[in-house]
Amino acid sequence: MSRKKISLIGGGQIGGVLAQLIAQRELADVVLFDIVPDLPQGKILDLAEASRIDNFDGKLSGTNNYEDISGSDIVIITAGLPRKPGMSRDDLLVTNANIMKSVAENVSKYAPNSIVIVISNPLDAMVTLFQKISGFPNHRVFGQAGVLDSSRFATFIAWELGVSVKDINALVLGGHGDTMVPLIRYANVNGIPVMEMLERKYNDKQKAEEVMTAMVERTKMAGGEVVKLLKTGSAFYSPASAAISMAESILKDEKRVLPVCAYLNGEFGVNGYYVGVPAILGSNGIEKIVELSLNETEQGLMNNSVKAVKELVEDMTRLGF
Ligand code: TXD
């Protein structure tokens, strides 16, 4: 059996960590592509020189030539500019749409059978644009946002309750913007509702609700919190880890149920847009969208988030993409 191949389009902060995680876990051969001459070659040389220490085998290459991505099983796209302090994800729209256009044309040409995970922001618009230009079927084009947003929510819950983050299940739906929807009612600690644990901790229902509201707000703003601290660039460890969990579920046909920015065909009442929802990821990419019942408040928040995604996609269309 030949080894699997993952190509990474964009060799910046996230691209570099993606390459390292894939290599260390021996998930697949890696091709790191960037338009900046020598940058991907330099990163890959450095990474390869760690192989003896970390004990990994595998073929790693850095390139400025799209031909090298041919035969990829998975392509992960981080090409584009990250946010600067004070910028919203949407401010990146025009610059990154131009970049995504050229990426989509080249991936369609050189890796036409690949499964594509988009990470570049503004995420929901960039996934939409990649699919539109490539014409790839929707189950082979989707975005990473929800795994990270859910992990951020889980992290804050673990810190608040003083329990292992490994026991937290938290799910964030909707677009990858300030309107995302962390689901309070479904958040649990090994099956125990987080709200119940908070109420027991504080012995005060109102205080528990305030604490939860603060965690929800922090989750929605978590990307910006990192941007503000870093001053140059945005989060890169966690988005890379998130995308790798998706790629691993695909390569190993694990059929994990992960929140994915997926194309909806009537699910959750949404038709024809990419929005963050739980989906089963296996060797065919998205194998099924997993629906769940939302109460009136949750559905309202979801509708609001879908509205923001639609506006973003309409803006992009108006700008000629
Ligand atoms: O969860 C998520 N989806 C995200 C997304 C979380 C955090 C950051 N997210 C977004 O990912 C961020 O807003 C950016 O749009 C992307 C990539 O973030 P990263 O931190 O890796 O940005 P870098 O370090 O600037 O790297 C981007 C690289 C850089 O090396 C450029 O030279 C390259 O992209 N680039 C290109 N590569 C290929 N082709 C073209 N045209 C191109 N243009 C720039």
Side-chain angles (χ1 to χ4, degrees):
M1 200 175 79
S2 66
R3 272 200 299 256
K4 298 287 184 182
K5 174 170 174 177
I6 302 182
S7 291
L8 308 171
I9 312 298
Q13 296 270 69
I14 301 177
V17 180
L18 285 169
Q20 186 180 27
L21 291 173
I22 297 165
Q24 287 180 340
R25 296 180 191 185
E26 295 185 322
L27 278 182
D29 291 341
V30 177
V31 173
L32 184 67
F33 172 94
D34 204 287
I35 49 163
V36 178
D38 296 340
L39 171 74
Q41 292 86 342
K43 284 204 176 178
I44 288 296
L45 179 62
D46 184 23
L47 179 58
E49 288 167 358
S51 62
R52 179 63 193 94
I53 307 162
D54 285 331
N55 270 321
F56 58 79
D57 272 323
K59 200 167 156 216
L60 310 172
S61 38
T63 185
N64 308 112
N65 183 354
Y66 266 113
E67 273 177 41
D68 295 331
I69 73 166
S70 64
S72 300
D73 297 284
I74 296 180
V75 173
I76 306 179
I77 302 171
T78 62
L81 303 189
R83 282 195 278 172
K84 298 201 172 67
M87 270 174 99
S88 81
R89 293 180 179 88
D90 301 358
D91 292 334
L92 295 173
L93 186 59
V94 175
T95 317
N96 285 358
N98 274 312
I99 293 173
M100 191 54 66
K101 197 162 166 259
S102 86
V103 171
E105 285 162 1
N106 282 293
V107 172
S108 324
K109 184 167 173 197
Y110 294 105
N113 299 315
S114 57
I115 292 176
V116 176
I117 304 173
V118 177
I119 303 186
S120 316
N121 271 327
L123 196 261
D124 311 283
M126 292 304 106
V127 185
T128 306
L129 183 61
F130 183 97
Q131 195 284 326
K132 184 176 166 191
I133 291 169
S134 66
F136 283 15
N138 296 307
H139 68 93
R140 283 206 278 122
V141 180
F142 38 92
Q144 187 300 116
V147 175
L148 168 57
D149 297 328
S150 302
S151 175
R152 285 171 166 160
F153 190 26
T155 305
F156 302 144
I157 292 169
W159 287 343
E160 166 60 32
L161 293 175
V163 300
S164 168
V165 72
K166 293 180 187 172
D167 288 328
I168 312 287
N169 296 300
L171 180 60
V172 177
L173 302 183
H176 184 54
D178 303 344
T179 61
M180 68 179 75
V181 188
L183 288 181
I184 297 170
R185 202 161 52 96
Y186 286 99
N188 69 75
V189 184
N190 248 344
I192 306 162
V194 171
M195 278 317 296
E196 180 170 343
M197 288 189 69
L198 284 174
E199 280 167 27
R200 286 175 189 273
K201 175 177 171 181
Y202 290 103
N203 204 13
D204 178 344
K205 205 164 183 303
Q206 199 189 331
K207 171 73 180 163
E209 275 165 16
E210 282 167 17
V211 169
M212 177 50 94
T213 303
M215 291 194 290
V216 165
E217 287 311 309
R218 189 171 180 193
T219 301
K220 291 195 214 169
M221 299 301 162
E225 189 181 353
V226 175
V227 170
K228 207 168 153 207
L229 289 167
L230 293 180
K231 304 203 174 54
T232 54
S234 51
F236 54 101
Y237 294 116
S238 55
S241 292
I244 291 303
S245 71
M246 295 166 71
E248 193 165 11
S249 187
I250 296 163
L251 288 178
K252 298 183 178 170
D253 196 24
E254 290 176 328
K255 308 205 189 293
R256 291 194 63 191
V257 179
L258 296 172
V260 176
C261 177
Y263 187 84
L264 298 183
N265 238 327
E267 297 92 346
F268 291 89
V270 180
N271 230 317
Y273 285 91
Y274 272 95
V275 179
V277 294
I280 298 175
L281 289 185
S283 54
N284 295 318
I286 293 185
E287 302 196 343
K288 191 178 176 2
I289 306 287
V290 179
E291 291 197 79
L292 65 159
S293 54
L294 299 178
N295 65 26
E296 213 176 303
T297 313
E298 293 156 352
Q299 189 63 55
L301 292 168
M302 183 68 168
N303 293 348
N304 182 46
S305 191
V306 171
K307 188 168 154 264
V309 172
K310 284 184 180 170
E311 284 167 6
L312 181 65
V313 172
E314 278 157 21
D315 278 351
M316 187 170 69
T317 314
R318 224 186 344 266
L319 290 163
F321 293 98

